Amino acid sequence: MAEEELKPVPAAEAALVQPGKVSQWLAENGFFHEFLDLDANGVEIIKVPANFLLPISTALYAYGFNYLQFQGGIDLGAGEELVSVYHLLKVSDNADRPEEIRVKVFLPRENPSVPSVYWIWKTADWQERESYDMYGIIYEGHPNLKRILMPEDWVGWPLRKDYISPDFYELQNAY
């Protein structure tokens, strides 16, 4: 072996994670995003600003990500940001392991608003409604954004980490 091959890689270079191929494709085509990391299964995770979600989602759909497997919300903690997460798959015939990507949109707790991807992936319908119902994330442009799990007159967002549960809830018109 040559002596150059045995030299250790500087810690700063070793810590850099190279973006995945989808992230590189987005960057080459002028779509602003931030590559976060690969998860334990090697799935790319990218961070997208809320105002770029629709253009990037449309580009990912054109790139072949035709299935929204999962959309959900995350609360990073009391006083911290909320996150709207999208897990996309490239589904095709005879695919043993479809290509995957995870998109995260970090939102301010005070006004968590993001465009709906319902018009790109219809599977977002009830999933966005659930994230709205549990976290209070507003999906602009959603055709039927209303509570899906909690009663319509419920106050608050039950899965937020700073949520205070009411002492009681009076059922009205229970019969």
Side-chain angles (χ1 to χ4, degrees):
M1 295 182 111
E3 190 173 314
E4 295 87 27
E5 293 179 37
L6 298 176
K7 289 183 180 179
V9 177
E13 288 180 30
L16 293 177
V17 177
Q18 296 300 317
K21 77 175 197 176
V22 179
S23 182
Q24 289 175 358
W25 179 82
L26 286 169
E28 289 167 3
N29 288 285
F31 292 100
F32 178 75
H33 70 286
E34 180 183 336
F35 178 77
L36 294 179
D37 207 350
L38 299 175
D39 73 2
N41 296 319
V43 176
E44 292 180 57
I45 304 170
I46 63 171
K47 176 181 177 180
V48 174
N51 58 335
F52 286 110
L53 178 63
L54 285 183
I56 286 180
S57 295
T58 305
L60 289 171
Y61 184 84
Y63 187 74
F65 288 98
N66 54 4
Y67 179 55
L68 173 65
Q69 183 181 40
F70 165 79
Q71 185 285 319
I74 301 172
D75 185 347
L76 297 178
E80 298 293 321
E81 294 176 304
L82 299 173
V83 184
S84 187
V85 182
Y86 308 83
H87 190 90
L88 305 171
L89 290 166
K90 197 184 268 192
V91 177
S92 62
D93 292 338
N94 301 320
D96 291 338
R97 181 165 164 79
E99 194 171 347
E100 303 172 76
I101 190 164
R102 192 164 306 123
V103 178
K104 292 185 175 184
V105 181
F106 292 78
L107 304 165
R109 188 173 211 82
E110 301 76 41
N111 183 23
S113 183
V114 65
S116 173
V117 296
Y118 168 81
W119 305 105
I120 301 169
W121 299 285
K122 299 294 188 225
T123 55
D125 186 6
W126 286 33
Q127 296 178 58
E128 286 181 344
R129 285 179 62 190
E130 183 178 352
S131 294
Y132 164 72
D133 195 8
M134 297 288 110
Y135 294 97
I137 299 171
I138 310 268
Y139 293 91
E140 297 172 4
H142 190 283
N144 191 22
L145 191 63
K146 62 181 185 177
R147 292 208 182 257
I148 191 171
L149 299 171
M150 304 303 290
E152 288 186 27
D153 60 344
W154 193 265
V155 177
W157 317 108
L159 289 184
R160 284 195 182 188
K161 293 183 179 176
D162 57 359
Y163 177 72
I164 298 171
S165 182
D167 291 336
F168 71 93
Y169 182 76
E170 181 179 328
L171 292 176
Q172 299 175 0
N173 300 323
Y175 298 101

